[in-house]
Structures are given as C-alpha cells and as structure tokens.
Amino acid sequence: MTYLSEPVLLVENLSLTFPDANRASGHNVLSNLTFDLRKGEVLGIVGDSGSGKTMTALAVAGLLPENAEVTSGRIMFDGKDLLKLKPSDRRKLLGDKIGMIFQEPLSSFNPLMTIGKHLNEVLTSHSNPLLPKEHADGRKSRILEMLAHVGFTDPLRIYNAFPHQISGGQRQRALIAGTLLLKPTLLIADEPTTALDTVTQSQIVDQLKRISRSFNLSVLFISHDLMLVERICDRVAVMHNRRIVELETPKDILHSPTHPHTAKLIRSARAVRTPRVKQETNYSDDNPPLIQIKGLNTGYNDSIFFGASRYHEVLRDVNIDIYPGEILGLIGSSGCGKTTLTRVLTGLISATNGTITENGRIMADFSQRKKMKRCSVGLVFQDPYNSLNPAKTISWLLEEPLRIHGICDRIERKTRVLQMLSDVGLGSKYQHYYPHQLSGGQRQRVALAVSLMLSPSLIIADEPVSALDASVQAQILELLFKINREKGVAFLFISHNLSVVRSICHRVAIMDDGRIVEAGAIDEVFDKPSTVVASNLLKAETNYHPRSNRTIDSQ
Amino acid sequence: MIRITPLPAYKLYLTIGGIFSSFVVMAILLSFIYMPYDTQATVYASKFAPPSAEHLFGCDHFGRDVFSRTLEGARLTVLVSVFGVLIALTLGGLFGSIAGYFGGWVDNVVMLLSDSVMAFPGVLLALVFVAVYGSGVYNIIWALGIVFFPSYARVFRTGIRQLKDREFILQASIIGVRPIRLVLIHIFPNLMPQLIPAVVIGLANMALSEAGMSYLGLGIQPPYASWGKMLKDAQSYILEAPWTIIFPSLSLLFYILGLYFLSEGISIRFGLGRHAK
C-alpha cells in the first residue's frame, strides 16, 4: 500500500484567523491543524459546514481571502513552505503542481468556449518548462487522450461541445481532465460531487479513485458525506470546530470512532438512511385522490436559427394520483423532468396537453388552453440559501402570503406567524432575523413555514435536504414527518437519495425520460422493481453506499 | 460559512467623501440662513476686489461678491443634479423593469430605444434639447434626466433579469404575488447595492454636465449664478483676478470628488464592479 511512501503535502500546526473589529483576538477559523498527505493517497476531510474544511483547502491552494491571517504553522509542499513563497510563485504552483476542482462545474466554464478550447487554454497558458512546446495537433491528441482517460467514450464530441451541451457529471469530468493535463502531484477536490445525482456521483468518485491510482496522484477530497468519503479515501480526517479530531483509515473511523463528534456524524448519516417504522398517518388508498394528473405533456421550443426551432418534449403523458395525507416519493435521474413537473403543478409554466384536477375540480385543462388556477400547492426548494428573499425579515416573508391575499389583519397575522414559527421548531426571536443570519437547516424550516402559511393540501419538496449536513437532514425529515402527521398535508417528495425516500415515503413513483415508468407502494417497488430503469436506479444507490447498507444489516 | 470582514479601506473612502460633500451641503444650508450680498448687485467700485474680510472670495468683473455667487451656485448645482437623477432613475426604473421583466421582443425594443439615446454623446444631446426647448433650469433638469436614463435602465434590467429566475422570486409568484408587487416589493430592495453607487455617481455626472453646459452658454442663464457659468465668465480674467476662477472650481472639485469617493466606498463595501469578490 502507499502508506509508507513519502508525504507530498505536510501541514503542521496551521492556525488561521480573520481579524474581527469587535474582538481583539479575531475570528478563529482553523486551529493547530496537522496532517500529511502521501504520494498516491486519497485523504478525505469530512465535517459539518463551518468546521473549517473549505478553509483548509483554500489555505493549501493559496486562495485564502485577503484578510485571512495565518497565525502559526507551515504548509510544506515539494520541499517548500507554501506560506513563505511569493504570491507569483504560489500562483504558478497552483495549476502546474496543484490542481483544484470545485462543487459547481458550470461556473468554472466560459459559456462561449467549447470544452476543447478550455482545455487548450490550460496547456497554452501554463508554459511548463518540462513539457515540450507542442503544436495544435499534438495538444488536441493529448486532450482527447486525457478525456478518454477520465471515462468519456466519445472524447471528440466532448471536445467540440459547449459547456451547456453536456451534463453536470460530464462537466465535472471535463474539469478533472483539465486539471490532470498539467500532471499535477496534488489534486484538491472541494465537494466535487455534491451538486450531482447519485448515479453520477458514484461514477465520478470511482473515476477519481482510478485516476489517483494510475497517475500516482495525491488527492485531498473534501466532503460532508461520510459514506462517500469512506468509499474513495485511504484515510479520513474528521474536522469539528476548526480542528481535526480524528485521522484514521475509514474502516477504523466507522467501526471504532474515538471522538464523540465522529460517532455523532456516523449516527446521523445512518439515521438518514436507516429505514424506519412508518408512523401512523391518516393516509389511505381508499380516499379519492387529492390531485389527479392525467395525460400531461410539456415541452419547449429550442430556437436554433432565426425562426427555425426544434420542439423538445420534457413530459410525455404523465399520469399520477396524489392521495390526501400521503408522502409520495418521486425519483429519477437528473434531467428526467421532475423539476418541470413541479413547475407545472405550481402554475409557474403551462403544459401543452393534459388535465390537473384537485378534489375532483378541474384546475387546469391544457388541451383547451385553460391555464392553471392557483391551487393549494406549496413548494420547498433544494437550496435554502436561494429560496428566501435576502432583503426581508423572516416575519415579513411569513406574513406576505396572508398580506397579499388579504386573509387577516395585522394583529392576527403576527399571531399566526408566531404560531407557524413554533410549529416548524423555531423560537419567536427568529421573526426579526434576516435569512443570512440563519443556518441552512433553519432556512429550510422557514421555507417550509412560508409554503405552509396558506394551509395547502399538498407541498412539493424538491430535494429539500440534499444541500444540508447529515445531522441537519435528519432533523428536517423529522419535521416533514411531523407536519404530515399533524396537519395532514400531503407531500410530493423528490429526492436522489433512495434510502431517504424509502424511510419516509408511503408510495413512490419512478420517472425516466419524461414518463412515470413505475408507481406503487414503496416496499413493492423497492424490493421487486418491475422495470429495468427502476432496478438500474436502485442498483446505483446500493453501489453508492455499499458498506453503510452492510453495517445496517448487521446491526 | 466564509465570513469576510469588510476591508477598512471603505471606511476611509466614505470618510473622505463625506467630508468633501459636506462642504457643499454646509454651503447650501448657509445660503438659506445668511447670504452676505445680493448675488446680482453690480457694484462698480468693487470690481475685481481681491479676497478680504469684506468680500471673502473677492469680487468679479461686475463687482459681484464671489462668495455669495458660489453659495448660489451650490444651490443650483445640487438642485439640477438631484432632480436630474430623480428623473433618470424614474425613467430608467420604468423602462428597465419592463425590459427585464418581460424579456423577449419587449426587451429588444426598449433596449434599442435606450441604446440609441446612449449612442449620442450625453452633453451634445442635452444641448440639442435645450436649444430646442429653451434653457430654463427645468429644461436642463429634464434634458439631463433623459440623457442619463439609459444607464439606470441597464442597472434595473440586468438586476431584474438576474433575480427573476431566482428561487425566492419563483416562491413569491407561487404564493400568488402579482407582477407589479413582485418587482417593486420583492425585487427592488435587492437591487440597492447596485443602485446606490449608481445614484451617487450619477449626481456627480449631472453636476459636471450642468457645469459643462453652462460653460458653453446653454446652461443656467444670467443673471443666476452656476459654477459652470462663473468659470466661463472668469476665464477672460484668469490672470488679473484668479480668485474669480479658483473658488467656483474648488467647489465643483469638492462636490465631484466627494461623490466619487462616496460611490467608491459603497462599491467596496458591497463588493461591486472592480471590487467584486
């Protein structure tokens, strides 16, 4: 194994502060960090948000914000202390020797340049003395070779594609190819798969591991997902409260955690994924459906050239019933039309064909150009940092639905807001806060409260927990459950994470390429999927968390 | 997670800007309480009188008190720039919001209109306007407002286009907020970080353009004093009576520089433009 090889990166006693005008000591972000990374090793860093894992990555890459202050320690790389290098030398090192990939691959690309052009630029702008001056043809063949290396079967198509023409997973792989072109010795990956769906996630992680082996590349892999880290890493560092509390092999960490925080992380990671006994709800199949969707077709015109356009079908003949008080899971890979379905249901876009009925009343009949009436559907988005207006206070946001519909007067509004805040588990002091003063989990509670204000009969939750830490995920799911039980609100729960779906949903619908391919009671579909698509999806998830499943079974 | 404490530089900019522009504000306040001389009274005996205890900034070629005329100039300059910006802001807000909210061909038409205004050199267009409609203070304000509206229209249009597909705006339309309320109440407050520096810099640009127009003789008409007009009158006597040109120039410089520093400070504070994080 590679453990005995020499360290490529050695971080010793690193402490970092941000000067704070209100405090003499400043705002500590890292304290006394010590770890090493050996040649060809994949070292994972896990921790909740705010634990300092991104700051560690930025410190190694030399991309710290200007006002950050290193108070002690050194970062040895390639025999040099990175903290003592001149900024220009440091920049040269980043790219040539240290590669970095980020969470959101789209923002790393210029939309007007093809992938090939981006990768060419990588080669031309870094005049690496070790590389011979190459001609355009030579560069192209090297790029194609590298694209094949990161798992593309048709590198030439990717070479000529624009960033928006390829999927998120492909973009992330193209980005990895770009950083590998310069043959770095260290790759820093900051949450590289968080924005991707399960199937793609597992592909990228496998790819990364294989690349690390074949190029003898050291990887610093940062993630909040303990199970994902376990899958790829040789050793794992657990960060908590700005320091590393444990640094061990993944096996040791998972089976005999020594630090209480590690144990807590493992517990909550499992809690999210452990199937549990379904609580009592007032859901029953015998009731007539709450929302009935029949023969829904949607598409958009993709204009190609002046007037010419091509019709893209997104939803094809979608039929689905949602019963009062149930939690219906909706799963499917990215781009299968889940989000479009939620947009149609909430009336944000129109469909071309089909009907939607609520409690037997026709809400929309798109074939007769009858637009969607505002029906009682609420929506909770995936990203809690984006779904609350940053310029307004929490109480203003919660009052807004009541205010615009003139439902009740000022005083009544205030009492309802306080009641709703306590319903979603927030104290009354939060009413005066602005969204940026809240954590991700708290924001998601507020987002849920906003959509509950008009007492809807259905709430669509579009990946409501995937942007949150594992421990917070469990709390939010608990809250969804509680609201479903106490208020009898039906949920359409969209997720990539199948074990979450299994643990909280009564029924599940599987979507593929704009169609509902399978729907039924959760255990039936999960245990005996009747279609190929469904069984493929379920397999990808099992591959993704092999050991977590095993540990659960053995308990 | 990454909390970036603002650089102290913005405080320096705001302080300098505040001091400079507060001179102008004090001058205006003073002009309402105490005006040493009638700004239009020509006293032949005191022609080109140098600065003294009696005439703080000296006298010009008609023997008019330069100090009093500088105070009056401050009043006019601030009046023109504030109301000019208000008109530009209203027009820009209206057209920019329509273009940004509806997009498509509406956007194309509105932006074509605003770009064609932008294609002319600003002061030239304002001069044509004033030449056609006459050169009263109100016409100048209107002319400047119309000339400067496209830049505000762009701020509004870009901001609304960026925000209208954000999830919190989608959320608002799902709960049933109507378009006008959506734009005014939900989107506008989020544009403030971009708008405030644009307004401050707009005040400075208006003041400069007004001075330029007055200098060319198509701005504020005699006998009223504006800084640009005073510069035009004084340029022939620059060697005999430098005080007639120094004081209005300094006033203009303080006003413009103060506003530039303020705008720079605000931009740094909010991380905008070339200070983008």
Side-chain angles (χ1 to χ4, degrees), chain A residues 211-260:
Chain A
I211 289 165
S212 152
R213 291 281 173 270
S214 60
F215 286 84
N216 208 8
L217 174 73
S218 311
V219 180
L220 193 60
F221 188 88
I222 291 161
S223 175
H224 67 265
D225 190 335
L226 193 60
M227 298 305 165
L228 188 63
V229 164
E230 183 210 352
R231 185 181 162 93
I232 171 174
C233 298
D234 300 313
R235 285 187 305 156
V236 179
V238 179
M239 279 192 85
H240 177 53
N241 251 338
R242 312 182 293 277
R243 48 187 103 228
I244 289 180
V245 294
E246 206 161 351
L247 178 60
E248 273 303 339
T249 61
K251 222 170 121 194
D252 290 342
I253 294 248
L254 277 176
H255 291 287
S256 47
T258 53
H259 192 273

Short mmCIF file of all heavy atoms in Angstrom, two decimals, chain A residues 211-260:
data_model
loop_
_atom_site.label_atom_id
_atom_site.label_comp_id
_atom_site.label_asym_id
_atom_site.label_seq_id
_atom_site.Cartn_x
_atom_site.Cartn_y
_atom_site.Cartn_z
N ILE A 211 -8.14 7.24 -11.28
CA ILE A 211 -7.15 8.19 -11.78
C ILE A 211 -6.03 8.36 -10.76
O ILE A 211 -4.85 8.38 -11.11
CB ILE A 211 -7.82 9.53 -12.08
CG1 ILE A 211 -8.69 9.41 -13.30
CG2 ILE A 211 -6.80 10.62 -12.28
CD1 ILE A 211 -9.66 10.54 -13.49
N SER A 212 -6.42 8.47 -9.51
CA SER A 212 -5.41 8.63 -8.46
C SER A 212 -4.43 7.47 -8.47
O SER A 212 -3.22 7.64 -8.31
CB SER A 212 -6.12 8.74 -7.11
OG SER A 212 -5.29 8.28 -6.08
N ARG A 213 -4.94 6.25 -8.67
CA ARG A 213 -4.07 5.08 -8.73
C ARG A 213 -3.16 5.13 -9.95
O ARG A 213 -1.95 4.93 -9.85
CB ARG A 213 -4.91 3.81 -8.79
CG ARG A 213 -5.66 3.50 -7.52
CD ARG A 213 -4.77 2.88 -6.45
NE ARG A 213 -5.51 2.77 -5.21
CZ ARG A 213 -5.55 3.71 -4.28
NH1 ARG A 213 -4.87 4.84 -4.44
NH2 ARG A 213 -6.25 3.55 -3.19
N SER A 214 -3.76 5.42 -11.13
CA SER A 214 -2.97 5.27 -12.35
C SER A 214 -1.97 6.42 -12.53
O SER A 214 -0.95 6.25 -13.18
CB SER A 214 -3.88 5.13 -13.57
OG SER A 214 -4.69 6.26 -13.70
N PHE A 215 -2.24 7.59 -11.98
CA PHE A 215 -1.29 8.70 -12.13
C PHE A 215 -0.43 8.89 -10.88
O PHE A 215 0.35 9.81 -10.81
CB PHE A 215 -2.04 10.01 -12.39
CG PHE A 215 -2.60 10.14 -13.76
CD1 PHE A 215 -3.83 9.60 -14.07
CD2 PHE A 215 -1.90 10.82 -14.75
CE1 PHE A 215 -4.36 9.71 -15.33
CE2 PHE A 215 -2.43 10.94 -16.01
CZ PHE A 215 -3.65 10.38 -16.32
N ASN A 216 -0.64 8.04 -9.88
CA ASN A 216 0.03 8.19 -8.61
C ASN A 216 -0.19 9.60 -8.05
O ASN A 216 0.73 10.29 -7.62
CB ASN A 216 1.53 7.92 -8.78
CG ASN A 216 2.12 7.40 -7.48
OD1 ASN A 216 1.39 7.11 -6.54
ND2 ASN A 216 3.43 7.28 -7.43
N LEU A 217 -1.44 10.02 -8.10
CA LEU A 217 -1.82 11.39 -7.77
C LEU A 217 -2.36 11.44 -6.33
O LEU A 217 -3.15 10.59 -5.94
CB LEU A 217 -2.91 11.82 -8.75
CG LEU A 217 -3.59 13.15 -8.58
CD1 LEU A 217 -2.64 14.26 -8.98
CD2 LEU A 217 -4.84 13.22 -9.46
N SER A 218 -1.89 12.41 -5.58
CA SER A 218 -2.44 12.57 -4.23
C SER A 218 -3.69 13.43 -4.31
O SER A 218 -3.71 14.44 -5.01
CB SER A 218 -1.43 13.27 -3.32
OG SER A 218 -0.19 12.66 -3.44
N VAL A 219 -4.73 13.03 -3.61
CA VAL A 219 -5.99 13.78 -3.68
C VAL A 219 -6.42 14.18 -2.28
O VAL A 219 -6.41 13.38 -1.35
CB VAL A 219 -7.12 12.93 -4.33
CG1 VAL A 219 -8.39 13.73 -4.40
CG2 VAL A 219 -6.71 12.45 -5.70
N LEU A 220 -6.77 15.47 -2.14
CA LEU A 220 -7.36 15.94 -0.89
C LEU A 220 -8.85 16.08 -1.18
O LEU A 220 -9.26 16.95 -1.94
CB LEU A 220 -6.75 17.31 -0.54
CG LEU A 220 -6.99 17.85 0.85
CD1 LEU A 220 -6.43 16.90 1.89
CD2 LEU A 220 -6.33 19.21 1.00
N PHE A 221 -9.65 15.17 -0.63
CA PHE A 221 -11.06 15.08 -1.01
C PHE A 221 -11.92 15.61 0.12
O PHE A 221 -11.96 15.05 1.20
CB PHE A 221 -11.39 13.61 -1.30
CG PHE A 221 -12.75 13.39 -1.87
CD1 PHE A 221 -12.96 13.43 -3.23
CD2 PHE A 221 -13.84 13.14 -1.04
CE1 PHE A 221 -14.21 13.22 -3.76
CE2 PHE A 221 -15.09 12.94 -1.58
CZ PHE A 221 -15.27 12.98 -2.94
N ILE A 222 -12.61 16.73 -0.16
CA ILE A 222 -13.38 17.37 0.90
C ILE A 222 -14.86 17.12 0.68
O ILE A 222 -15.36 17.30 -0.44
CB ILE A 222 -13.07 18.87 0.92
CG1 ILE A 222 -11.64 19.03 1.40
CG2 ILE A 222 -14.01 19.63 1.81
CD1 ILE A 222 -11.04 20.31 1.06
N SER A 223 -15.56 16.70 1.71
CA SER A 223 -16.97 16.38 1.55
C SER A 223 -17.66 16.44 2.90
O SER A 223 -17.02 16.36 3.94
CB SER A 223 -17.11 14.98 0.95
OG SER A 223 -18.45 14.62 0.90
N HIS A 224 -19.00 16.56 2.87
CA HIS A 224 -19.71 16.46 4.15
C HIS A 224 -20.33 15.08 4.28
O HIS A 224 -20.95 14.77 5.28
CB HIS A 224 -20.76 17.56 4.28
CG HIS A 224 -21.88 17.43 3.31
ND1 HIS A 224 -21.90 18.09 2.11
CD2 HIS A 224 -22.98 16.68 3.34
CE1 HIS A 224 -22.98 17.75 1.44
NE2 HIS A 224 -23.66 16.89 2.16
N ASP A 225 -20.12 14.24 3.24
CA ASP A 225 -20.78 12.94 3.22
C ASP A 225 -19.81 11.85 3.67
O ASP A 225 -18.91 11.44 2.94
CB ASP A 225 -21.26 12.68 1.79
CG ASP A 225 -22.16 11.46 1.71
OD1 ASP A 225 -22.04 10.59 2.58
OD2 ASP A 225 -22.97 11.40 0.77
N LEU A 226 -19.98 11.40 4.87
CA LEU A 226 -19.05 10.44 5.46
C LEU A 226 -19.01 9.14 4.66
O LEU A 226 -17.96 8.54 4.45
CB LEU A 226 -19.47 10.15 6.91
CG LEU A 226 -18.47 9.42 7.78
CD1 LEU A 226 -17.20 10.22 7.90
CD2 LEU A 226 -19.05 9.17 9.16
N MET A 227 -20.18 8.71 4.17
CA MET A 227 -20.24 7.44 3.45
C MET A 227 -19.52 7.52 2.11
O MET A 227 -18.91 6.56 1.65
CB MET A 227 -21.70 7.05 3.23
CG MET A 227 -22.47 6.85 4.52
SD MET A 227 -21.68 5.64 5.59
CE MET A 227 -22.49 5.94 7.13
N LEU A 228 -19.61 8.68 1.49
CA LEU A 228 -18.95 8.89 0.20
C LEU A 228 -17.43 8.87 0.41
O LEU A 228 -16.68 8.26 -0.36
CB LEU A 228 -19.40 10.23 -0.37
CG LEU A 228 -18.97 10.55 -1.79
CD1 LEU A 228 -19.58 9.54 -2.73
CD2 LEU A 228 -19.43 11.94 -2.16
N VAL A 229 -16.98 9.55 1.46
CA VAL A 229 -15.57 9.63 1.76
C VAL A 229 -15.02 8.23 2.04
O VAL A 229 -13.94 7.87 1.59
CB VAL A 229 -15.36 10.56 2.97
CG1 VAL A 229 -13.98 10.38 3.56
CG2 VAL A 229 -15.57 12.00 2.55
N GLU A 230 -15.80 7.45 2.74
CA GLU A 230 -15.39 6.11 3.07
C GLU A 230 -15.11 5.29 1.81
O GLU A 230 -14.20 4.48 1.75
CB GLU A 230 -16.51 5.43 3.88
CG GLU A 230 -16.16 4.05 4.33
CD GLU A 230 -17.40 3.19 4.44
OE1 GLU A 230 -18.51 3.72 4.31
OE2 GLU A 230 -17.23 1.99 4.64
N ARG A 231 -15.91 5.55 0.80
CA ARG A 231 -15.82 4.79 -0.44
C ARG A 231 -14.54 5.06 -1.20
O ARG A 231 -14.00 4.17 -1.85
CB ARG A 231 -17.03 5.18 -1.29
CG ARG A 231 -17.21 4.44 -2.56
CD ARG A 231 -18.44 5.03 -3.21
NE ARG A 231 -18.46 4.68 -4.61
CZ ARG A 231 -19.09 3.60 -5.07
NH1 ARG A 231 -19.72 2.83 -4.25
NH2 ARG A 231 -19.09 3.34 -6.36
N ILE A 232 -14.06 6.28 -1.16
CA ILE A 232 -12.92 6.63 -2.02
C ILE A 232 -11.60 6.77 -1.27
O ILE A 232 -10.54 6.53 -1.83
CB ILE A 232 -13.24 7.93 -2.83
CG1 ILE A 232 -12.00 8.43 -3.56
CG2 ILE A 232 -13.81 9.01 -1.97
CD1 ILE A 232 -12.27 9.58 -4.48
N CYS A 233 -11.64 7.09 0.02
CA CYS A 233 -10.40 7.55 0.67
C CYS A 233 -9.59 6.43 1.31
O CYS A 233 -10.11 5.43 1.76
CB CYS A 233 -10.73 8.60 1.72
SG CYS A 233 -11.50 10.03 0.99
N ASP A 234 -8.27 6.67 1.36
CA ASP A 234 -7.38 5.77 2.08
C ASP A 234 -7.37 6.11 3.57
O ASP A 234 -7.27 5.24 4.41
CB ASP A 234 -5.96 5.88 1.53
CG ASP A 234 -5.92 5.52 0.05
OD1 ASP A 234 -6.51 4.49 -0.30
OD2 ASP A 234 -5.35 6.28 -0.74
N ARG A 235 -7.41 7.41 3.85
CA ARG A 235 -7.51 7.84 5.24
C ARG A 235 -8.53 8.97 5.31
O ARG A 235 -8.74 9.68 4.33
CB ARG A 235 -6.16 8.34 5.76
CG ARG A 235 -5.18 7.22 6.06
CD ARG A 235 -3.95 7.75 6.74
NE ARG A 235 -3.36 8.82 5.94
CZ ARG A 235 -2.58 9.77 6.45
NH1 ARG A 235 -2.31 9.81 7.74
NH2 ARG A 235 -2.07 10.70 5.67
N VAL A 236 -9.12 9.16 6.48
CA VAL A 236 -10.13 10.20 6.64
C VAL A 236 -9.79 11.07 7.84
O VAL A 236 -9.45 10.56 8.90
CB VAL A 236 -11.54 9.58 6.86
CG1 VAL A 236 -12.57 10.66 7.04
CG2 VAL A 236 -11.92 8.67 5.71
N ALA A 237 -9.86 12.39 7.65
CA ALA A 237 -9.71 13.30 8.77
C ALA A 237 -11.09 13.87 9.08
O ALA A 237 -11.77 14.36 8.19
CB ALA A 237 -8.74 14.42 8.43
N VAL A 238 -11.51 13.78 10.33
CA VAL A 238 -12.79 14.34 10.72
C VAL A 238 -12.54 15.70 11.36
O VAL A 238 -11.75 15.81 12.29
CB VAL A 238 -13.52 13.43 11.71
CG1 VAL A 238 -14.85 14.05 12.13
CG2 VAL A 238 -13.75 12.06 11.11
N MET A 239 -13.18 16.73 10.82
CA MET A 239 -12.98 18.07 11.37
C MET A 239 -14.20 18.48 12.17
O MET A 239 -15.33 18.22 11.78
CB MET A 239 -12.74 19.08 10.26
CG MET A 239 -11.33 19.07 9.75
SD MET A 239 -11.00 20.48 8.71
CE MET A 239 -10.57 21.71 9.92
N HIS A 240 -13.93 19.11 13.30
CA HIS A 240 -15.03 19.61 14.11
C HIS A 240 -14.52 20.85 14.81
O HIS A 240 -13.43 20.83 15.40
CB HIS A 240 -15.45 18.55 15.12
CG HIS A 240 -16.55 19.02 16.04
ND1 HIS A 240 -17.72 19.55 15.57
CD2 HIS A 240 -16.62 19.04 17.38
CE1 HIS A 240 -18.49 19.88 16.59
NE2 HIS A 240 -17.85 19.59 17.70
N ASN A 241 -15.32 21.92 14.76
CA ASN A 241 -14.92 23.12 15.47
C ASN A 241 -13.51 23.58 15.14
O ASN A 241 -12.70 23.82 16.03
CB ASN A 241 -15.02 22.89 16.97
CG ASN A 241 -16.17 23.65 17.53
OD1 ASN A 241 -16.60 24.64 16.91
ND2 ASN A 241 -16.68 23.22 18.66
N ARG A 242 -13.17 23.67 13.88
CA ARG A 242 -11.92 24.22 13.40
C ARG A 242 -10.70 23.36 13.65
O ARG A 242 -9.59 23.78 13.43
CB ARG A 242 -11.67 25.62 13.99
CG ARG A 242 -12.88 26.54 13.89
CD ARG A 242 -12.57 27.88 14.42
NE ARG A 242 -12.33 27.86 15.85
CZ ARG A 242 -13.31 27.88 16.75
NH1 ARG A 242 -14.56 27.94 16.35
NH2 ARG A 242 -13.04 27.88 18.04
N ARG A 243 -10.86 22.16 14.19
CA ARG A 243 -9.68 21.29 14.33
C ARG A 243 -9.97 19.87 13.87
O ARG A 243 -11.12 19.47 13.74
CB ARG A 243 -9.14 21.32 15.76
CG ARG A 243 -10.18 21.13 16.82
CD ARG A 243 -9.58 21.34 18.21
NE ARG A 243 -9.94 22.63 18.77
CZ ARG A 243 -9.06 23.47 19.33
NH1 ARG A 243 -7.79 23.15 19.39
NH2 ARG A 243 -9.45 24.60 19.83
N ILE A 244 -8.88 19.15 13.61
CA ILE A 244 -9.04 17.75 13.23
C ILE A 244 -9.17 16.93 14.50
O ILE A 244 -8.29 16.98 15.37
CB ILE A 244 -7.84 17.27 12.40
CG1 ILE A 244 -7.89 17.93 11.02
CG2 ILE A 244 -7.85 15.76 12.26
CD1 ILE A 244 -6.76 17.55 10.12
N VAL A 245 -10.29 16.22 14.65
CA VAL A 245 -10.49 15.48 15.89
C VAL A 245 -10.09 14.02 15.72
O VAL A 245 -9.90 13.32 16.71
CB VAL A 245 -11.95 15.59 16.38
CG1 VAL A 245 -12.26 17.01 16.78
CG2 VAL A 245 -12.92 15.11 15.33
N GLU A 246 -10.00 13.57 14.48
CA GLU A 246 -9.65 12.17 14.29
C GLU A 246 -9.06 12.01 12.90
O GLU A 246 -9.53 12.61 11.94
CB GLU A 246 -10.92 11.32 14.43
CG GLU A 246 -10.64 9.93 14.84
CD GLU A 246 -11.87 9.24 15.41
OE1 GLU A 246 -12.89 9.90 15.64
OE2 GLU A 246 -11.79 8.03 15.63
N LEU A 247 -8.01 11.20 12.77
CA LEU A 247 -7.39 10.97 11.47
C LEU A 247 -7.02 9.50 11.39
O LEU A 247 -6.08 9.06 12.03
CB LEU A 247 -6.14 11.87 11.30
CG LEU A 247 -5.34 11.74 10.03
CD1 LEU A 247 -6.18 12.06 8.81
CD2 LEU A 247 -4.15 12.68 10.06
N GLU A 248 -7.82 8.74 10.65
CA GLU A 248 -7.66 7.28 10.66
C GLU A 248 -8.06 6.72 9.31
O GLU A 248 -8.52 7.44 8.44
CB GLU A 248 -8.62 6.69 11.74
CG GLU A 248 -8.05 6.62 13.14
CD GLU A 248 -6.77 5.84 13.23
OE1 GLU A 248 -6.50 5.02 12.32
OE2 GLU A 248 -6.02 6.03 14.20
N THR A 249 -7.93 5.41 9.15
CA THR A 249 -8.47 4.77 7.95
C THR A 249 -9.99 4.74 8.09
O THR A 249 -10.50 4.71 9.21
CB THR A 249 -7.95 3.33 7.81
OG1 THR A 249 -8.38 2.60 8.96
CG2 THR A 249 -6.45 3.29 7.71
N PRO A 250 -10.68 4.74 6.96
CA PRO A 250 -12.15 4.81 7.02
C PRO A 250 -12.75 3.67 7.85
O PRO A 250 -13.74 3.86 8.55
CB PRO A 250 -12.58 4.69 5.56
CG PRO A 250 -11.38 4.75 4.73
CD PRO A 250 -10.18 4.77 5.58
N LYS A 251 -12.12 2.50 7.77
CA LYS A 251 -12.65 1.36 8.50
C LYS A 251 -12.63 1.63 10.00
O LYS A 251 -13.62 1.41 10.70
CB LYS A 251 -11.80 0.12 8.19
CG LYS A 251 -12.63 -1.12 7.96
CD LYS A 251 -11.76 -2.23 7.43
CE LYS A 251 -11.80 -3.40 8.37
NZ LYS A 251 -10.73 -4.36 8.09
N ASP A 252 -11.48 2.13 10.47
CA ASP A 252 -11.36 2.41 11.89
C ASP A 252 -12.34 3.49 12.33
O ASP A 252 -12.95 3.42 13.39
CB ASP A 252 -9.94 2.85 12.22
CG ASP A 252 -8.98 1.69 12.10
OD1 ASP A 252 -9.46 0.55 12.11
OD2 ASP A 252 -7.76 1.93 11.98
N ILE A 253 -12.47 4.51 11.49
CA ILE A 253 -13.36 5.62 11.84
C ILE A 253 -14.80 5.11 11.98
O ILE A 253 -15.48 5.42 12.95
CB ILE A 253 -13.33 6.71 10.74
CG1 ILE A 253 -11.96 7.36 10.69
CG2 ILE A 253 -14.44 7.71 10.92
CD1 ILE A 253 -11.89 8.77 11.12
N LEU A 254 -15.23 4.29 11.04
CA LEU A 254 -16.62 3.87 11.06
C LEU A 254 -16.91 2.86 12.15
O LEU A 254 -17.98 2.85 12.72
CB LEU A 254 -17.00 3.27 9.71
CG LEU A 254 -17.38 4.30 8.65
CD1 LEU A 254 -17.64 3.61 7.33
CD2 LEU A 254 -18.62 5.08 9.07
N HIS A 255 -15.92 1.99 12.43
CA HIS A 255 -16.22 0.92 13.37
C HIS A 255 -15.83 1.24 14.80
O HIS A 255 -16.46 0.77 15.73
CB HIS A 255 -15.57 -0.38 12.90
CG HIS A 255 -16.25 -0.90 11.67
ND1 HIS A 255 -17.49 -1.47 11.70
CD2 HIS A 255 -15.88 -0.86 10.36
CE1 HIS A 255 -17.85 -1.78 10.47
NE2 HIS A 255 -16.90 -1.41 9.64
N SER A 256 -14.77 2.04 14.97
CA SER A 256 -14.42 2.39 16.33
C SER A 256 -14.05 3.87 16.42
O SER A 256 -12.89 4.22 16.57
CB SER A 256 -13.25 1.52 16.82
OG SER A 256 -12.26 1.50 15.82
N PRO A 257 -15.05 4.72 16.25
CA PRO A 257 -14.76 6.16 16.36
C PRO A 257 -14.32 6.49 17.78
O PRO A 257 -14.92 6.00 18.74
CB PRO A 257 -16.10 6.82 16.02
CG PRO A 257 -17.13 5.78 16.27
CD PRO A 257 -16.48 4.47 16.02
N THR A 258 -13.25 7.28 17.91
CA THR A 258 -12.80 7.62 19.26
C THR A 258 -13.35 8.95 19.73
O THR A 258 -13.47 9.19 20.92
CB THR A 258 -11.26 7.69 19.30
OG1 THR A 258 -10.84 8.57 18.26
CG2 THR A 258 -10.65 6.32 19.09
N HIS A 259 -13.69 9.82 18.80
CA HIS A 259 -14.17 11.14 19.21
C HIS A 259 -15.70 11.15 19.19
O HIS A 259 -16.31 10.61 18.26
CB HIS A 259 -13.61 12.21 18.27
CG HIS A 259 -13.82 13.61 18.79
ND1 HIS A 259 -14.97 14.31 18.53
CD2 HIS A 259 -13.04 14.40 19.54
CE1 HIS A 259 -14.88 15.50 19.11
NE2 HIS A 259 -13.71 15.58 19.73
N PRO A 260 -16.32 11.73 20.20
CA PRO A 260 -17.80 11.75 20.24
C PRO A 260 -18.42 12.37 19.00
O PRO A 260 -19.49 11.94 18.56
CB PRO A 260 -18.12 12.55 21.50
CG PRO A 260 -16.85 13.17 21.95
CD PRO A 260 -15.73 12.33 21.41
#
